[in-house]
Structures are given as structure tokens and as C-alpha cells.
Amino acid sequence: MTAELVRGQNHPLPHTRLEIRVTAGAPVMACATLADDQGAVAGPEWIVHPGSPRLPGIEVSRQAAAGLRFHLDLGALPGQVHLVHVLLALPEGTGGPDRFGTTAAPFAAVTATDGTEIATFTLTGLDTESAVVALELYRRQGAWKVRAVGQGYAGGLAALFADQGLPEAAGFAAGVQEAVARHLAGAVQAPLTGTTGTTGTTGATGTTRTTGTTGATAAPGAQDGARARSEGRRPSAAPGESAAPGASAGTGGAGGAVNYTHPGRRTAAPPTPPPAASPTPPGEPPRPVAGDATGWSMDERLYNQVWGMFEDLARTVAAYRSAMDFAESRLDQELDRALSDPRQRIGGAGDAARAEARARHDRLAAQAREVLDRDLAQLAAESEVVEPALPPAYARWDSPVWHAYRVPMEIPMALRLGDVHLPERPDLRIPMLVRLPLERGLWIDSGRSGSDAALMTDDAQLRAAAVDTAVTLAARLLAVYPPGEFTVHVIDPAGSAAVPLAPLATSGALDRPPAAGAAGVSAVLARLIQRVDLVQMALRGGAADSLPPDLDTAEQLLIVNDFPHGFDDRAVTQLRYLADEGPAVGVHLLMVANREDASAYGPVLDPLWRSLLRISPVPDDHLADPWVGHAWTYEPPVVPPGSQVLRQVLDRVAESRRTGGR
């Protein structure tokens, strides 16, 4: 069984021949330092990096990439080596992000040579750091273990090497960066046409979450963020998520250069929002304003504001729950003290002590609820202002903005997948926004997840609701991309989803009808795998403009219904390949499946399920928040009953595809 490590946790290594597989939201470079039993690095000759990628027992990649592998043979390391530090760093001067906080959290998996995972570690909480010690492998009493570290350095490789005692650390780090830059210049062609895509925007947040030399720090307190909200000020900003690792920038459409980065992404600090038209009178709660976060455009400010609302709600509820826990704990302690005093066990003194303890508890609970209600009211007022101002990519299906919908000419920053809420205020729903292009595939779970809504719905209704959710998400993706820059494929092996898929199939939004049968499954997978392979080869060879003229370079979405029906072992392997390799080159999965149906495959499909973002066709509290420990309830996007908005939007998308956007 795979061990999912957290910072500081260790795990024994059953093998000496290992691979460490790293995936990140942007290209990173791999390094490793070897140390003796005192943890000392003897010198540069004990460091492997892209300029010197091989030492006895260890090898790293020569280039920066979003997917890296370390190859280790611990038995072949020099005898004096007792410690191996696995390092990740962002390359400098390449136009990419300059800190890990602007990218998706890196993920490291320690595996055997046959691919079996031994331990995994997700490096969450990074912010201003551009270099990080991800893992350490150490020898203790003749046996090797791995420890999750996650120690970041805002000063980059120079600070990291200096912390490990390397003399002339700054000069050595500069040499490593130069080696990576030379390789990138020789192997990756610069963007040829269009706008250069760069990652890194700023998202609003109510607290600072960084990882320094001692690991991840805790959130500084939910009440501070709630106070900032009540005073009408937006707390300090922290980075948002980055786009998926991109190819060279360019224009969409067959035959053109490939563009898998957001064309409007900027790295400079965005301007602050304009001041409110009229200040809030003293003593009154602040008046919410749509777009009061930082950002280069109104869409970016709204995106940051929505994330600020999410974090403020998380922090406010965390403060309330903490206050209630304190009140309950204090009540228990006071009652225990009253019962332990023989003088208060009988008579009026004991009753008075217990009544006083309960009264204090009630006062604390009332105070906590009062603060919670105040902050929730402020958030609800802000939601009422922000929701009508959201553009189509962020808006609900019942928003009036869809009635004036026009096919866009630019890709938006993000997409609304649904809503999330907490039980303290179920009617206060925060839009669940994910960045575009999608960084991972989606899995709509059509099985009984254990939620009340799922348990009260029969299997057929759940499967139909899951396909409906897939159709609404695919329609939204088609609607927010410019004409010709997004293509949807559908696999429905048994044809069981013909009715819910009808809006996509009959509107003309699909290039081909849904594929059915084993032959249809094989044909669609073969086409998409060929596209992934061709684009990967072109990018690695620096020849993005030499792709076949008939190759569709638009973003691709594959909807798979009723998996694994119609999939043989080869097709399952191909699907796993698309899930792993597709997102980096613009091929994404949208799976509609019940995991129990694929239980015969056992752990073989575990990496597939983990690679996908699970959502549900009915309300379900499965979304975990590792920051404050909340379980958020996800609400899928729903088209209002009787509304024709979905059909109208798809008709306009299809018409725009036919006319080329004219």
C-alpha cells in the first residue's frame, strides 16, 4: 500500500533501486545533494544537477520539465554517503514563474523500478520559495528510509546550497541555472506567433501561508481574517494557481503553433482596485463592491474576489468552531472540578457552581455565534453583489448574463465547476472556480458516495444525473473558448447516454457523433494518443510549427461514459496514458464512472482515479480543505428546469464554429 506522507513523516524503503517521479504545475529542474553521516555536503562534486546529471548511484534530468524522474541505486552510492536530499527549483530567466506559490503544488512519488508506488508527498503551502528540499533519503542502521521535508527557500538555489554548507553557493547555483538555460535555449523553440503566455497571477486571500526553513506555518488565525472582512479591507494577497505547463504560445486552429498557456497571464504586480464611489459611514458595515480585489482586468479581480470570499468563509467558520470547542472544553473542565470537590457534590453550592459553568458556556457560545452571524451576513451581502457581476465563465446557468451570451474571442482565466458551501450557512454558496487550461481531468462519480442525496437516489437516476453534469460542464467549456479552440469527443460504448447527450450531439457542437462499441472506443483513443505523441515530439524538438497541417491543435476534451464498459486492457492502458500525459499538451478527460464498476482492476487504476478531480452529480461533502480541515459540500451546476439556456448557448457555439467566429 502506498504511504501518503506529510511533512516530517518517514517511511522505510523496501528496495534500493528506485525512481522518484515528480510532477509540477510548471517546469522545474531536478538536483540532489549527497551528504555524510553528519549531514555535511563535501563539495560541488557531491551534487547532481542538470549540468552534471550523473554520479554513482543517482541520475537526474538534464532539462527543466513539469514531469521529472530521479533514478537511484542506493546500493551503488559511495560508502560515505548516508543522506540524499532531493531538490526542486524553478529555472530563472525562462519566462516561467519565479515562485512555487504561482503554480500547482508539486507532487513526488517514490516508486520501485516497475512503477509500484512506495510513498508519495504533495508539497503544499509553498509561496515565495523558488527552491525546495522535497524529500530526503537517509541510511539508518543499514536500512534506507524516505522522509517528507518540503523545506522551501525564497532565496532560491543559492540560499538552499548555502544552508547545506556549500562554499561559494551563489556562484555554484548560478552555474546550475545557466546550464538549464543553455539546454532550454537549444531544445525548446521560442514562441513563434501570438501572445507569449506566462504564468502567475495574484489571488485574494485572508492569511499568509508560507513554507520557510522550518516547514509549513499554520494559518495565523481565522478571527484576524474575519476582522479584516468586517472592517472592509481585503487582507494581504497570496498567489493563485498557475496554468498547466504550456507549450509555445500561438494561435489555435489546425496547423498553427500550439498554445496551451493562457495568453493573458502576466507576472507583474496587478493594479489595486479603484476606491469605492462613496465611503462607508462610521459604525455601518462596509458596503460590498463587485471587483474590489486586485487584478489586471475585471475578470481577474472577480476571480480573486471569489477566492477571497472562499478563504474568508473558511476562516470565519474555523474561528467559530474553535470558539465552540473551547466553550465545550471549558464547561467540561469546570463541571469536573465541581464534581471533584466533596463540598460541592451535595447541597446548593454544587448546583450553583454547575449553573454558573453552564451560564459561562452559554455566554461564550452566544458571543461566538454573534461574530459568526455578523461575518456571514457580510459575506452574504458581498455574494449578492458579486454573483450578478460574474461573466459567463463564472456565472450560474440561471444568470441573466447567458441571455446576452456571445462567443468570446479570448480564453477566460477560470471556469465555474459548481458551488461549495459549509453547514453553518448552506444558502451561502461560493463559486468553485478552476483555472484554465485545466490542469487535471475530471471524474463525475456516478456511484453511491455515501452522501444523503446519493443514498436517496437510485442507481439509474445517479447515472443520468452524472451524464447531465458532464454535458453542462462540456457545454460551458465550449462556450467560454473562442471558436475552433476547443473540441469535444464522446465515448458512450453502449449508447446508454443517448438522451442526456442529445444537446451536444444534435446542436452540431461535436465534430463526430459519440463513439460506440469497442471499435469506436479504440478509434477515439488512438486519435487522441497520436495527437499527444505528435505534439510532445514537436515541443521536445523545438518544432511546434512543423506539426501536420490537418492536426487539430485546439484543446481537446474526451467525455467517457460508463467506464469501464467497452474497454479492454489495452484501452484501459491508453486511457491511463491520456490522463497522465494529455493535460500538458491540451488533452483532458471527463470521466463519468462508478469506481465500483472497475473494482476488478484492483489497484491498477488507483493512479487514474487519483489523477482526476472527483466531483459528484448530487450534493456531497467530499471536498476536503487541508488548510483548516473543513469538509466542503459540493453542488453541481444545474440548468433551471424548463430553461432552454443550454440549448441556446450550444446553438450559438455551433453556429460560430460553422462560420469561423464571424
Side-chain angles (χ1 to χ4, degrees):
M1 180 180 294
T2 303
E4 297 183 358
L5 306 180
V6 298
R7 278 186 176 86
Q9 186 178 358
N10 59 41
H11 187 74
L13 295 173
H15 312 289
T16 57
R17 294 177 60 85
L18 304 167
E19 286 186 352
I20 299 177
R21 304 178 181 183
V22 176
T23 56
V28 296
M29 57 182 177
C31 304
T33 58
L34 311 181
D36 58 20
D37 56 353
Q38 301 300 316
V41 179
E45 66 276 7
W46 276 32
I47 300 177
V48 284
H49 56 85
S52 178
R54 188 180 293 109
L55 283 176
I58 186 168
E59 182 177 356
V60 301
S61 174
R62 290 179 176 271
Q63 64 181 3
L68 296 172
R69 293 193 183 190
F70 295 73
H71 301 275
L72 296 104
D73 183 353
L74 300 177
L77 290 171
Q80 61 268 43
V81 173
H82 288 255
L83 179 66
V84 179
H85 280 125
V86 175
L87 318 177
L88 304 176
L90 295 170
E92 298 175 356
T94 62
D98 59 358
R99 55 182 180 169
F100 279 109
T102 60
T103 72
F107 174 81
V110 181
T111 73
T113 53
D114 62 358
T116 303
E117 288 188 348
I118 300 170
T120 63
F121 176 42
T122 303
L123 285 76
T124 57
L126 297 175
D127 186 3
T128 60
E129 299 85 353
S130 58
V132 61
V133 179
L135 302 168
E136 66 178 21
L137 285 68
Y138 62 97
R139 178 159 43 190
R140 184 71 52 82
Q141 297 178 347
W144 284 90
K145 293 185 178 183
V146 59
R147 177 183 288 117
V149 181
Q151 179 174 324
Y153 294 82
L157 274 179
L160 191 158
F161 288 148
D163 191 47
Q164 297 201 357
L166 185 72
E168 304 294 335
F172 186 78
V176 174
Q177 292 283 2
E178 183 180 353
V180 174
R182 284 200 306 268
H183 192 279
L184 287 174
V188 180
Q189 183 172 339
L192 299 175
T193 60
T195 305
T196 303
T198 57
T199 61
T201 59
T202 302
T205 178
T207 184
T208 302
R209 288 169 282 164
T210 64
T211 301
T213 57
T214 58
T217 60
Q223 293 175 337
D224 294 338
R227 190 179 305 113
R229 166 72 55 181
S230 66
E231 292 172 359
R233 57 184 173 87
R234 176 70 63 185
S236 58
E241 302 164 328
S242 74
S248 59
T251 58
V258 186
N259 176 10
Y260 298 120
T261 59
H262 194 288
R265 201 65 49 78
R266 310 190 189 195
T267 57
T272 56
S278 58
T280 302
E284 293 186 12
R287 297 171 182 171
V289 178
D292 73 341
T294 58
W296 288 101
S297 64
M298 187 61 174
D299 284 3
E300 186 175 351
R301 293 200 295 271
L302 287 169
Y303 170 84
N304 291 337
Q305 186 173 12
V306 167
W307 272 104
M309 293 165 59
F310 170 84
E311 294 182 347
D312 286 348
L313 178 58
R315 187 176 46 252
T316 295
V317 171
Y320 170 71
R321 293 179 182 178
S322 177
M324 291 302 297
D325 288 344
F326 171 76
E328 294 290 343
S329 175
R330 180 172 175 174
L331 174 62
D332 291 341
Q333 293 173 6
E334 292 181 345
L335 291 177
D336 288 342
R337 283 198 297 269
L339 291 173
S340 64
D341 188 349
R343 295 170 298 178
Q344 295 184 351
R345 289 178 185 171
I346 57 175
D351 293 339
R354 289 189 287 271
E356 185 179 353
R358 292 191 178 95
R360 278 194 292 268
H361 167 272
D362 293 343
R363 286 196 298 272
L364 289 174
Q367 291 171 0
R369 188 71 210 190
E370 181 182 1
V371 173
L372 175 68
D373 290 342
R374 180 199 66 194
D375 294 335
L376 291 181
Q378 179 66 19
L379 279 168
E382 185 171 11
S383 178
E384 292 175 358
V385 171
V386 170
E387 189 70 52
L390 296 178
Y394 307 168
R396 294 194 303 247
W397 283 110
D398 60 356
S399 171
V401 72
W402 288 108
H403 297 295
Y405 167 75
R406 295 291 182 271
V407 179
M409 293 296 105
E410 294 182 354
I411 303 172
M413 285 188 59
L415 183 84
R416 186 173 189 159
L417 290 185
D419 297 331
V420 293
H421 64 80
L422 292 172
E424 280 76 7
R425 184 72 183 269
D427 62 322
L428 178 55
R429 298 178 179 177
I430 307 297
M432 180 180 174
L433 304 181
V434 296
R435 294 292 285 267
L436 292 178
L438 295 173
E439 297 179 357
R440 59 192 298 198
L442 304 174
W443 164 33
I444 304 175
D445 189 355
S446 59
R448 293 186 180 276
S449 59
S451 69
D452 292 340
L455 294 174
M456 296 174 61
T457 309
D458 63 36
D459 291 341
Q461 291 176 323
L462 273 177
R463 293 178 187 273
V467 179
D468 287 339
T469 302
V471 170
T472 58
L473 292 177
R476 186 180 288 266
L477 281 163
L478 284 166
V480 303
Y481 270 81
E485 294 195 21
F486 200 85
T487 304
V488 176
H489 310 266
V490 179
I491 290 178
D492 185 20
S496 59
V499 173
L501 288 172
L504 288 175
T506 60
S507 65
L510 301 179
D511 288 349
R512 294 181 175 88
V521 171
S522 177
V524 172
L525 294 177
R527 284 198 305 271
L528 291 177
I529 286 177
Q530 181 187 41
R531 182 195 177 282
V532 169
D533 291 342
L534 287 174
V535 174
Q536 282 184 338
M537 288 188 292
L539 295 177
R540 290 169 181 168
D545 58 341
S546 64
L547 290 167
D550 60 342
L551 183 72
D552 183 6
T553 58
E555 296 270 329
Q556 311 285 313
L557 178 71
L558 173 60
I559 302 176
V560 178
N561 179 51
D562 211 13
F563 176 82
H565 183 80
F567 282 72
D568 55 19
D569 290 346
R570 183 171 184 271
V572 169
T573 302
Q574 291 176 320
L575 192 69
R576 288 184 56 187
Y577 176 79
L578 287 178
D580 292 339
E581 304 293 335
V585 290
V587 177
H588 313 283
L589 287 184
L590 177 53
M591 298 269 292
V592 179
N594 180 358
R595 188 169 182 173
E596 293 298 322
D597 293 343
S599 59
Y601 287 94
V604 172
L605 290 182
D606 286 352
L608 173 64
W609 303 120
R610 284 199 299 267
S611 70
L612 305 174
L613 172 62
R614 175 179 172 261
I615 57 179
S616 55
V618 293
D620 190 4
D621 59 349
H622 68 278
L623 292 178
D625 183 350
W627 178 32
V628 289
H630 296 332
W632 292 81
T633 297
Y634 167 79
E635 295 266 359
V638 177
V639 178
S643 173
Q644 298 297 313
V645 62
L646 185 68
R647 173 72 68 173
Q648 294 168 1
V649 168
L650 286 173
D651 288 343
R652 291 175 186 170
V653 169
E655 177 64 23
S656 178
R657 287 163 60 91
R658 287 191 293 269
T659 62
R662 295 188 297 273

